[in-house]
Amino acid sequence: MILYAIPVSTYSAKVRIALGIKGIDYEMVPPPGGYSSPEYQAIVPVGTIPGLKDGDFVISESEVITEYIEERHPEPSLLSGNAELRARQRFLARFHDLWLEPHLRATFAHVDPASRDEAALGGCLDRYQARLEQMESLIEPGPYLAGETIGVADCAFPATFTLADILLPHFGREVRYGPKLQTWRETVYAHPVVRQVTDESRQATLQWMGAG
Ligand SMILES: N[C@@H](CCC(=O)N[C@@H](CS)C(=O)NCC(=O)O)C(=O)O
């Protein structure tokens, strides 16, 4: 398998964690010409990372890639438990992609103080924090986000939180997690695969910001 990805990409980290937990060998390749380039779009038509190539089969969208991996390599399962627990896994993973992470991504335009719009940045950070507080009321770690074993939802958040731990202080904001999220963070970051992938994300992000 080839995973088109770069270490700084949070959505790529999600898939890398899933592959690592399942013990699947893959080659991580940066998108030729960069993401959205014609060269990369000749392989992965939408041009986003992560993109997966498994033999002749190519697919993108991190959630879809994760579910494809789950179906191809069912053990250990990242969607275990009954229908309700599996729905909770999927819900939290979508919550990450649709309602939490985009507010953090929107701050990228303001990393450089020279081109920063303080009002717009403040709005992004407020919305990110509000969703984080909402998440606290949505979870009941057991100790993972939906049950006793690590699942698709647990794969989605770690790299985003690693990124937030760097970006929020950069913007002068305190990183605040509620008690349930804090407990879950301690559990998930202790997982060796999560730790390895997020350590790489942290290094790459610090380099990207010119601080590493
Ligand atoms: N919904 C996509 C989001 C992935 C995404 O936004 N990737 C960024 C890099 S982290 C990208 O490829 N952007 C391409 C672009 O903006 O054209 C997924 O889950 O895979």
Side-chain angles (χ1 to χ4, degrees):
M1 278 189 192
I2 294 177
L3 184 72
Y4 294 101
I6 53 175
V8 80
S9 158
T10 49
Y11 288 98
S12 301
K14 178 207 293 187
V15 173
R16 294 180 64 209
I17 291 171
L19 287 163
I21 290 167
K22 286 180 177 286
I24 300 169
D25 277 339
Y26 66 98
E27 191 185 348
M28 181 160 117
V29 174
Y35 55 68
S36 300
S37 68
E39 205 179 338
Y40 181 49
Q41 282 182 301
I43 309 166
V44 176
V46 183
T48 55
I49 53 168
L52 184 80
K53 189 168 185 305
D54 185 11
D56 291 337
F57 178 67
V58 172
I59 193 81
S60 59
E61 285 300 318
S62 59
E63 282 302 293
V64 178
I65 296 172
T66 306
E67 293 214 12
Y68 172 76
I69 295 165
E70 174 73 14
E71 291 190 6
R72 282 278 186 204
H73 301 267
E75 296 298 332
S77 177
L78 291 169
L79 269 175
S80 54
N82 59 22
E84 285 170 23
L85 280 173
R86 295 200 302 278
R88 287 193 61 72
Q89 290 281 354
R90 294 187 174 102
F91 166 73
L92 288 168
R94 297 294 191 288
F95 176 82
H96 168 271
D97 289 10
L98 298 175
W99 303 112
L100 180 75
E101 194 274 352
H103 300 306
L104 192 63
R105 176 167 300 259
T107 69
F108 293 175
H110 309 284
V111 166
D112 181 358
S115 54
R116 185 173 297 169
D117 176 337
E118 290 290 352
L121 171 64
C124 299
L125 293 169
D126 289 346
R127 287 189 288 277
Y128 178 78
Q129 189 61 40
R131 289 297 184 187
L132 209 54
E133 281 162 25
Q134 190 173 54
M135 188 177 167
E136 182 73 12
S137 67
L138 294 173
I139 62 169
E140 215 48 73
Y144 288 103
L145 286 177
E148 292 175 9
T149 55
I150 194 161
V152 291
D154 300 281
C155 298
F157 294 91
T160 296
F161 286 173
T162 296
L163 177 63
D165 289 348
I166 296 170
L167 282 180
L168 267 62
H170 176 77
F171 295 131
R173 290 278 181 122
E174 195 189 342
V175 184
R176 284 183 281 125
Y177 296 103
K180 286 192 272 181
L181 261 178
Q182 188 53 38
T183 303
W184 170 76
R185 275 169 57 93
E186 282 159 24
T187 302
V188 85
Y189 283 114
H191 192 295
V193 171
V194 174
R195 195 164 52 235
Q196 192 208 326
V197 172
T198 53
D199 280 351
E200 282 180 40
S201 299
R202 184 178 305 103
Q203 290 308 319
T205 304
L206 290 171
Q207 262 178 8
W208 172 67
M209 293 178 69

